Amino acid sequence: MLKMLIIQGGVLPDGSQSRSAPKEQTIDLSEAPSMSASRSIPRSGAVQSSDYPFSTSPSTHRHGSISNSPSFIFSASQHGIAPDVRQPKVLHSLDSGDLRILLLENVSQDAIAAFREAGFQVDFHTKSWSEDELIEKIGTYHAIGIRSKTKITARVLKAASKLLVIGCFCIGTNQVDLETAAKIGIPVFNSPFSNSRSVAELVMSEIVALSRQLVDRARELREGTWNKVSKGCWEIRGKTLGIVGYGHIGSQLSVLAEAFGMRVLYYDVLNIMPLGSASQVETLQDLLSNSDFVTLHVPELPETINMIGANELQHMKNGSYLINNARGKVVDIPALIDALKSKRLAGCAIDVFPSEPKANGPGTFNDQLNSWTTSLTSLPNVILTPHIGGSTEEAQRMIGFEVSSALTRYLTYGSTMGAVNFPEVDLRPISADQTSFVRVCHVHKNEPGVLKKVNHILSDHNVEKQYSDSKGDVAYLMADISGVSDKDIHEMQTRISKTTSNILTRLLS
């Protein structure tokens, strides 16, 4: 039997020597795990989740899951700790009263439930609102959640006297005037990755449908015409897919396409390591001239508007196909119609358009909306869908969770991690047992001397922690102050708000 002898020294907790003799204890190690037993050895520098079962702050992790900061997760029972130790304290704005949230465009019901569970008042509408409707009604709301149809313009923001935050329950944020929002202290959050798989799967289905002319055959049969043909119909195995924009959607699509036996090329303004056997090409022209299918996955930027025009279409292979599930303005539609009519292209699939109807319903997609609508809809082997790339139950549920979490974190903790137009700042949470604490959330102009003025105001109190960052003309400071009375809090907010650089100051307690 292998034994270990432990001698407990006679030292008391106060450091003095005990008068009792040291104790000996023998432990049987024969039943302990063998030193040669198989064990998991972490790579150098790796942190094991079993060692630290909570998220650290600040967190920048946005891909595939939601950061739990600032309300970290801690498994108390696992570690023999009382379950109420270091629980995060839910903070409330001192001057906003009950927070009201306006949700438009039929956002996920899970998001509505999450907001109500957090104690917010929620007004929900299935349709988008016009600019005039928003200007009339937005003044009573502290937060707004939209999808892609509602436009948050500078005029709307001017009327939004109480608005603190905007949530885009989608990938894109071009429907919001981001610069104006930042300048008046309003961060904008979106969900850049949650619908990536849904879009990638839609593209694969469109590739198969175009290569087999499925939409035309289905329409003909519904009209009573039996038209069994194989001419112009192809397997996609062995064909080349060209992906423009190798981000989260493009890279997932790359893997799916290779599983179908396709060869994958991609073009991106950045040098990106490929997944699988995909190959990056140096120019867009190289990709267009070597691809049987070209699919677009780029944001709408000045440099991407009409990036596929008449010249680019001429570089595509004869009989190839174009797919656009990105943004409506990245393709010159009249030029695309000409390429389809001339048989340069054998078909196309379009899910996004320069102008889109504001609501569902018959007759809404017409020539008044886009002058070329009739010309496009009359062409063969053209798949047109109403911006449904991310419209799956799974994607909408994940988007609802991600954006509602981001808005709740900002409203209740001040965290701007993940904001697209704002400095990303976070602090570890104030715990429930820390009383007489206040969190200062100070949005200000990015100019010299601001921190000196603010810290002078805070100098009579104990600053527990502080963090600041800037983005463009806007900066954001978070600070936790302890040992403050109600009188101190109101005086602190008044003084900070009166500084010349102040944009918006909130105190949470």
Side-chain angles (χ1 to χ4, degrees):
M1 179 175 68
L2 179 63
K3 295 183 178 181
M4 180 170 65
L5 179 65
I6 298 177
I7 301 177
Q8 297 177 326
V11 181
L12 297 177
D14 62 0
S16 62
Q17 292 293 320
S18 170
R19 293 183 180 180
S20 61
K23 297 180 180 179
E24 296 184 4
Q25 183 181 3
T26 302
I27 298 178
D28 184 358
L29 298 181
S30 60
E31 296 181 0
S34 169
M35 294 298 289
S36 61
S38 176
R39 290 182 294 172
S40 175
I41 300 176
R43 289 180 294 176
S44 176
V47 177
Q48 302 300 297
S49 59
S50 59
D51 296 330
Y52 301 97
F54 55 88
S55 68
T56 55
S57 176
S59 168
T60 57
H61 182 61
R62 302 184 67 200
H63 179 68
S65 64
I66 311 303
S67 166
N68 292 303
S69 176
S71 55
F72 60 76
I73 297 172
F74 188 84
S75 179
S77 59
Q78 262 188 323
H79 296 265
I81 299 174
D84 59 345
V85 172
R86 299 295 296 174
Q87 289 296 307
K89 181 179 181 181
V90 178
L91 304 179
H92 302 279
S93 179
L94 299 178
D95 57 358
S96 298
D98 292 333
L99 296 177
R100 298 187 65 197
I101 298 179
L102 174 64
L103 299 179
L104 302 176
E105 300 186 63
N106 204 27
V107 302
S108 169
Q109 292 294 316
D110 291 335
I112 299 171
F115 284 132
R116 286 177 174 159
E117 185 177 349
F120 303 135
Q121 296 183 26
V122 180
D123 290 342
F124 171 72
H125 299 269
T126 58
K127 296 182 179 180
S128 62
W129 282 7
S130 67
E131 185 181 53
D132 290 339
E133 286 178 297
L134 287 168
I135 290 172
E136 179 185 352
K137 301 175 183 178
I138 200 171
T140 61
Y141 293 100
H142 301 91
I144 184 171
I146 61 173
R147 293 179 72 184
S148 57
K149 294 177 182 177
T150 302
K151 310 299 180 186
I152 308 295
T153 63
R155 289 184 63 224
V156 172
L157 292 169
K158 184 177 180 180
S161 56
K162 294 183 178 180
L163 196 65
L164 298 173
V165 64
I166 297 170
C168 296
F169 286 75
C170 52
I171 292 179
T173 56
N174 56 304
Q175 69 274 40
V176 179
D177 187 334
L178 298 176
E179 184 177 357
T180 299
K183 286 182 177 179
I184 60 176
I186 299 176
V188 179
F189 296 90
N190 68 335
S191 180
F193 314 128
S194 294
N195 68 358
S196 301
R197 177 70 182 200
S198 296
V199 177
E201 288 186 4
L202 178 63
V203 174
M204 287 307 306
S205 70
E206 289 168 338
I207 292 172
V208 174
L210 287 171
S211 66
R212 299 296 296 273
Q213 302 177 14
L214 286 180
V215 172
D216 288 357
R217 298 294 85 77
R219 174 181 50 80
E220 290 164 354
L221 196 56
R222 290 170 69 92
E223 294 171 351
T225 301
W226 186 272
N227 186 21
K228 182 179 179 180
V229 296
S230 59
K231 184 178 181 180
C233 297
W234 314 93
E235 293 182 354
I236 66 171
R237 178 181 55 178
K239 305 303 186 295
T240 299
L241 173 63
I243 301 173
V244 181
Y246 201 69
H248 291 273
I249 296 173
S251 57
Q252 286 196 54
L253 175 60
S254 171
V255 174
L256 294 178
E258 287 195 346
F260 273 77
M262 301 187 78
R263 170 178 174 247
V264 177
L265 304 176
Y266 65 94
Y267 169 73
D268 201 289
V269 293
L270 302 174
N271 289 322
I272 301 176
M273 184 176 70
L275 299 181
S277 302
S279 300
Q280 185 167 9
V281 297
E282 292 187 1
T283 67
L284 177 61
Q285 182 175 332
D286 290 339
L287 181 136
L288 297 175
S289 60
N290 288 285
S291 300
D292 300 300
F293 297 85
V294 174
T295 179
L296 309 175
H297 302 284
V298 296
E300 182 181 308
L301 302 170
E303 54 267 33
T304 62
I305 293 178
N306 287 337
M307 71 178 299
I308 302 296
N311 181 58
E312 288 75 22
L313 292 166
Q314 282 299 314
H315 283 101
M316 291 182 65
K317 294 172 65 174
N318 280 323
S320 58
Y321 306 86
L322 179 67
I323 299 171
N324 182 22
N325 290 293
R327 286 289 174 261
K329 294 182 180 180
V330 303
V331 175
D332 182 347
I333 301 293
L336 173 62
I337 292 172
D338 291 341
L340 292 165
K341 286 181 176 179
S342 69
K343 305 299 181 183
R344 179 80 186 183
L345 299 188
C348 72
I350 307 216
D351 186 51
V352 288
F353 304 89
S355 297
E356 298 180 354
K358 296 185 180 300
N360 294 341
T364 54
F365 189 68
N366 52 41
D367 286 339
Q368 284 70 45
L369 191 69
N370 295 292
S371 60
W372 36 256
T373 299
T374 299
S375 297
L376 184 62
T377 56
S378 63
L379 293 170
N381 209 24
V382 170
I383 300 174
L384 304 177
T385 49
H387 204 149
I388 60 170
S391 296
T392 63
E393 295 284 353
E394 295 89 347
Q396 291 307 307
R397 185 165 55 249
M398 283 299 300
I399 289 171
F401 175 70
E402 183 172 2
V403 179
S404 65
S405 297
L407 267 59
T408 300
R409 286 197 303 271
Y410 178 69
L411 291 171
T412 57
Y413 296 104
S415 172
T416 55
M417 301 307 296
V420 298
N421 67 328
F422 221 70
E424 295 187 77
V425 178
D426 196 6
L427 288 179
R428 68 181 183 273
I430 298 173
S431 64
D433 61 346
Q434 290 178 310
T435 58
S436 300
F437 270 68
V438 68
R439 173 163 289 180
V440 178
C441 302
H442 177 48
V443 186
H444 59 88
K445 298 174 186 176
N446 185 19
E447 56 188 27
V450 175
L451 293 182
K452 180 180 179 181
K453 295 176 183 177
V454 173
N455 284 326
H456 176 71
I457 296 171
L458 302 179
S459 61
D460 292 334
H461 307 281
N462 183 33
V463 179
E464 293 281 344
K465 47 189 179 289
Q466 184 182 76
Y467 185 57
S468 178
D469 197 7
S470 63
K471 186 172 185 177
D473 296 329
V474 177
Y476 184 44
L477 166 71
M478 290 179 68
D480 285 350
I481 316 299
S482 65
V484 289
S485 65
D486 291 344
K487 180 182 177 181
D488 294 331
I489 291 173
H490 291 291
E491 180 183 354
M492 194 183 304
Q493 183 168 21
T494 300
R495 292 179 65 188
I496 295 175
S497 298
K498 287 183 177 180
T499 57
T500 57
S501 58
N502 179 73
I503 296 176
L504 175 69
T505 299
R506 292 193 302 147
L507 266 64
L508 306 176
S509 179

